[in-house]
Amino acid sequence: MWDDAFPSFLIGLREGLEAGLIVSVLVATLVRADAKSRLPQVWTGVLAAIALSMSFGAVLTFTAASLSTAVQEAFGGALSIVAVAFVTAMVFWMRRSARSLAGEIKEKVTEALTMGAGVLVLTSFLAVGREGLETALFLWTTARAADESAGPLTGAGTGLVLAAVLCWGLYRRVLSINLTRFFTATGAVLIVIAAGVLGYGLRDLQEGGILPGGTAYAVDLSGSVDAGSWYSTLLQGVLNLTPTMTWLQVAGYAGYLAVVMMLFVRGVRGVAPVPSATPPLPVQGTPPLPTPAPTRHRPAWLIPVAVVTVPVVLAGLVVAMARPKPAGGETVAVSAKDCGRGFTAPEPGRQTFQMRNTGDQTSEVYLIDPATNAVYGEIEGLAPGTTRDLVATVAGGTYAWRCVPADGKAVTSKAVRVGGTAGAGAVVPVSEQDLAGPLRAYKAYVNRGLATLVTETRKLGDDIRAGHLDTARGDWLTAHRTYASLGAAYGTFEDFDQKINGGPDGLPGGVHDKDFTGFQRIEYGLWHGQPAGELTGPVHRLAEDAAGLHKAFPHQDFDASDLPLRAHEILENTLQFELTGDTDQGSGTGLATADANLAGTRELLTVLRPLLTTRAPRLLPTVDADIARLQALLDAELRDGRWTPVGRLGPTEKARIDGATGQLLEDLSPVPDLLEIRKSA
């Protein structure tokens, strides 16, 4: 988490120290000028600035969440550019003003005291509020870049706490810090970080369709850089340098860094050294500051409560207006008779629809474009009499509801038109006919593999019957890898899978049970010194089962809707069994099996590629990069024809393989939904 926390830590420390120094000078000036009665006015302004900053952060967070994906990208990109501008201005201002900060603030306090309480509140509010708003904006952009908030919030909180401790030490005169050097050093680091935020913002604007060149990559190291490694995570978290960057990102990053850093360094060289280590705080004996004219008394709590409450209430109103509301403020009926009743044209943006099943059958319901049958959102298994929320992003276009009872015909509601620019994400449904071609191609691939398997298991049997156990070990691995590449996940081959590749778990006799058969039984015998005579029966049975599967497979029920599931399930099995060593019976070839499973997944994606390309064009390049990364990690563990056993992997290598497999699984997870067969009217 530290890689995501560091940029926010640095901005929290700098902005917190800047605001804290101002507050310290304000407080010290009042205390040593015998005007302690005016301190509540300073703290009132500080509280108001904090409330405004937190409210600003809440508005950014919740209003962005109500936007469509494309608009969120554009909104985030634009605010990233604004944040870079603020941070750049702050860096140069502090470099220039650190030496004379205390004197300037003292002058403002003196002026404020002569003009009344309200002006002193305003002085502290403006002094702290600017830093607070900058911090909120920068923290929001870094959290969005990191795609999580825990790290940035932790970093910012740590930086603010440390800044408060430093300011208290400066106030008490127990610390000695050369502020000019401090702000110069942190300024240089912040310029580098801001360059990364600028690059991230430009990428968001490209993805939001505001800027061109979103597919013109200057750098694409996704196939050779381990995105889960510590160095890659550090570079992405701190500097926003990613394995893939467009030409615009690179130009913006390099151009900003070169120009701004050159100006900053040139300005530093032109600043004369400051002999004093700390800003001069007022000393004892300062003449009393002018006393303002008497003012009308009011409750002491009134102003603090008002200045804190007002920004919070205003932010709440903004968020409430931006939050999605159910279409028409009513529930939408789901049934064959009442499908879509209560549905009116919704407002553009992210909407929550309350779907109530008014029929007597469990139903599925889809929000669709009736012209193309594209699906914007869905609920499965909505029981009679129940209500569930369906959340979907609405943009310009035509919308209708499709209600599909469990034992009835699909019904489509009357369509409504939503004005505005099109852009809501939708999934074009597939039919059984769409999947028929990929299914035929995949079944042909499996059938060829089973024919090869029959030949290889017979050769394995010949080796064992001839007593050539060393040769048998090599031929066992060849045959087992062939079987593993055929996608035998979640009952693909019905009962044959347990016979051919079942393990001893759950059997009364364990590895010695008579029903322990197939590849794992022979693996146990070959790598535990059993003589050929004890393996002759199991290998003969394996060859018969392989031949039986080859004969039965063309007639087995392989539902077309199951095909997209295999793209995810094969590697789920790999992560659960092969990469934990759970299925290893002594050969130490779990990584070889994982490699074969990866080959099977690649074949599935090959036959599904035409359907995925039209529905999720950005998915396949990401998945291809994931596969290449995992393949490279597995290849690195094959040395001199021998695979490293899973149990002998180093902690780093094991973590990388597990992480790469997990990332690939995550990126493959949308495939079943994208290619789900849905009923049409």
Side-chain angles (χ1 to χ4, degrees):
M1 186 173 64
W2 175 245
D3 53 291
D4 292 332
F6 178 71
S8 298
F9 165 78
L10 194 60
I11 200 72
L13 176 61
R14 274 188 61 103
E15 296 279 15
L17 187 57
E18 183 179 342
L21 285 172
I22 295 172
V23 173
S24 298
V25 174
L26 285 170
V27 172
T29 302
L30 292 173
V31 169
R32 296 180 180 179
D34 199 23
K36 290 183 179 181
S37 61
R38 312 300 296 276
L39 287 177
Q41 298 163 14
V42 175
W43 297 121
T44 297
V46 171
L47 287 175
I50 293 173
L52 178 64
S53 303
M54 296 181 69
S55 300
F56 179 57
V59 168
L60 287 177
T61 300
F62 290 106
T63 55
S66 66
L67 303 175
S68 66
T69 302
V71 177
Q72 282 189 43
E73 299 290 350
F75 181 68
L79 287 185
S80 295
I81 306 296
V82 174
V84 170
F86 278 150
V87 170
T88 305
M90 176 264 293
V91 166
F92 281 89
W93 182 83
M94 280 306 297
R95 187 207 66 200
R96 183 177 61 253
S97 305
R99 295 180 298 163
S100 57
L101 182 64
E104 292 177 4
I105 295 300
K106 181 182 175 182
E107 291 179 8
K108 292 181 180 179
V109 175
T110 303
E111 295 174 3
L113 282 172
T114 63
M115 298 177 67
V119 179
L120 186 56
V121 171
L122 183 62
T123 300
S124 59
F125 170 76
L126 293 177
V128 178
R130 184 176 72 96
E131 281 69 33
L133 291 174
E134 289 177 358
T135 302
L137 179 57
F138 192 86
L139 182 60
W140 185 84
T141 57
T142 53
R144 191 171 185 277
D147 201 26
E148 60 100 9
S149 58
L153 286 175
T154 301
T158 304
L160 290 171
V161 170
L162 181 56
V165 172
L166 291 174
C167 289
W168 180 85
L170 288 170
Y171 176 77
R172 302 296 299 177
R173 293 287 187 167
V174 298
L175 294 178
S176 178
I177 297 177
N178 188 313
L179 293 177
T180 301
R181 291 181 179 175
F182 172 81
F183 284 119
T184 298
T186 56
V189 177
L190 274 177
I191 288 173
V192 177
I193 292 175
V197 174
L198 175 63
Y200 176 83
L202 292 174
R203 180 58 178 163
D204 270 356
L205 291 175
Q206 288 179 314
E207 292 181 348
I210 304 300
L211 294 177
T215 58
Y217 292 104
V219 179
D220 187 357
L221 303 177
S222 56
S224 56
V225 173
D226 181 8
S229 64
W230 66 268
Y231 57 84
S232 180
T233 303
L234 184 66
L235 288 175
Q236 292 183 61
V238 177
L239 304 180
N240 271 305
L241 290 175
T242 58
T244 58
M245 296 182 70
T246 65
W247 282 106
L248 181 60
Q249 280 183 281
V250 172
Y253 185 98
Y256 173 89
L257 193 60
V259 173
V260 176
M261 188 65 78
M262 179 185 67
L263 294 175
F264 183 77
V265 172
R266 180 181 298 175
V268 169
R269 291 174 179 172
V271 175
V274 182
S276 175
T278 57
L281 298 180
V283 296
Q284 193 68 32
T286 300
L289 296 171
T291 303
T295 57
R296 183 163 50 92
H297 290 289
R298 60 175 60 88
W301 53 267
L302 183 60
I303 293 179
V305 170
V307 298
V308 171
T309 303
V310 169
V312 173
V313 170
L314 291 177
L317 291 174
V318 172
V319 170
M321 289 187 292
R323 289 183 67 84
K325 302 176 180 60
E330 301 177 0
T331 58
V332 180
V334 178
S335 72
K337 180 180 179 181
D338 299 326
C339 184
R341 180 170 53 83
F343 179 50
T344 58
E347 295 294 326
R350 196 160 179 81
Q351 300 290 339
T352 300
F353 303 96
Q354 296 178 326
M355 311 306 300
R356 180 168 182 81
N357 189 340
T358 57
D360 57 3
Q361 294 187 51
T362 298
S363 296
E364 299 175 1
V365 59
Y366 307 110
L367 179 63
I368 66 168
D369 179 345
T372 64
N373 289 324
V375 177
Y376 295 96
E378 64 183 292
I379 294 178
E380 297 181 353
L382 183 62
T386 61
T387 301
R388 282 161 59 186
D389 287 347
L390 186 152
V391 180
T393 299
V394 175
T398 305
Y399 296 83
W401 293 102
R402 177 160 293 157
C403 307
V404 187
D407 297 319
K409 184 179 179 181
V411 177
T412 302
S413 73
K414 181 180 178 180
V416 301
R417 177 73 186 176
V418 176
T421 304
V427 177
V428 179
V430 300
S431 63
E432 289 194 25
Q433 184 61 36
D434 293 328
L435 284 171
L439 183 59
R440 282 194 301 271
Y442 185 68
K443 291 181 72 171
Y445 160 78
V446 173
N447 202 52
R448 291 192 300 271
L450 290 175
T452 302
L453 179 68
V454 170
T455 301
E456 291 173 346
T457 53
R458 287 173 178 169
K459 185 175 186 303
L460 174 62
D462 292 341
D463 294 336
I464 291 176
R465 282 187 289 272
H468 301 153
L469 298 188
D470 286 339
T471 304
R473 293 185 184 95
D475 288 339
W476 174 90
L477 180 58
T478 299
H480 189 241
R481 280 170 55 82
T482 296
Y483 183 76
S485 68
L486 302 180
Y490 293 85
T492 300
F493 297 141
E494 298 179 353
D495 293 339
F496 280 100
D497 184 47
Q498 180 62 33
K499 299 176 182 177
I500 292 174
N501 202 39
D505 294 342
L507 297 177
V511 295
H512 303 293
D513 196 279
K514 62 180 178 62
D515 292 327
F516 179 33
T517 63
F519 278 112
Q520 292 192 44
R521 167 66 183 91
I522 297 167
E523 176 188 6
Y524 179 85
L526 287 174
W527 274 271
H528 284 81
Q530 289 186 349
E534 294 184 19
L535 297 175
T536 301
V539 78
H540 176 71
R541 184 172 177 180
L542 172 63
E544 285 188 337
D545 289 335
L549 175 58
H550 184 214
K551 181 179 180 180
F553 178 71
H555 310 289
Q556 287 182 336
D557 183 20
F558 198 140
D559 195 324
S561 62
D562 287 344
L563 190 61
L565 296 175
R566 297 295 179 261
H568 187 268
E569 291 173 345
I570 295 173
L571 288 177
E572 267 190 351
N573 275 6
T574 304
L575 192 61
Q576 182 179 358
F577 299 115
E578 275 70 39
L579 295 183
T580 59
D582 185 71
T583 57
D584 185 11
Q585 300 299 328
S587 68
T589 57
L591 294 183
T593 306
D595 180 72
N597 288 337
L598 185 62
T601 300
R602 189 184 290 110
E603 181 65 29
L604 264 171
L605 292 174
T606 298
V607 301
L608 295 174
R609 186 171 293 269
L611 295 176
L612 291 172
T613 299
T614 57
R615 289 165 175 79
R618 296 183 181 179
L619 175 66
L620 286 174
T622 300
V623 168
D624 289 342
D626 291 342
I627 290 176
R629 180 155 52 94
L630 178 56
Q631 187 67 67
L633 292 172
L634 292 174
D635 289 345
E637 301 305 324
L638 177 60
R639 303 182 180 95
D640 299 325
R642 300 178 65 86
W643 292 87
T644 304
V646 170
R648 296 181 187 175
L649 287 172
T652 302
E653 289 74 17
K654 181 68 164 62
R656 286 178 176 175
I657 292 174
D658 288 348
T661 306
Q663 183 63 55
L664 177 54
L665 278 171
E666 182 178 340
D667 291 334
L668 285 171
S669 60
V671 172
D673 288 334
L674 289 170
L675 302 183
E676 180 183 356
I677 297 176
R678 295 175 171 90
K679 292 183 181 179
S680 59

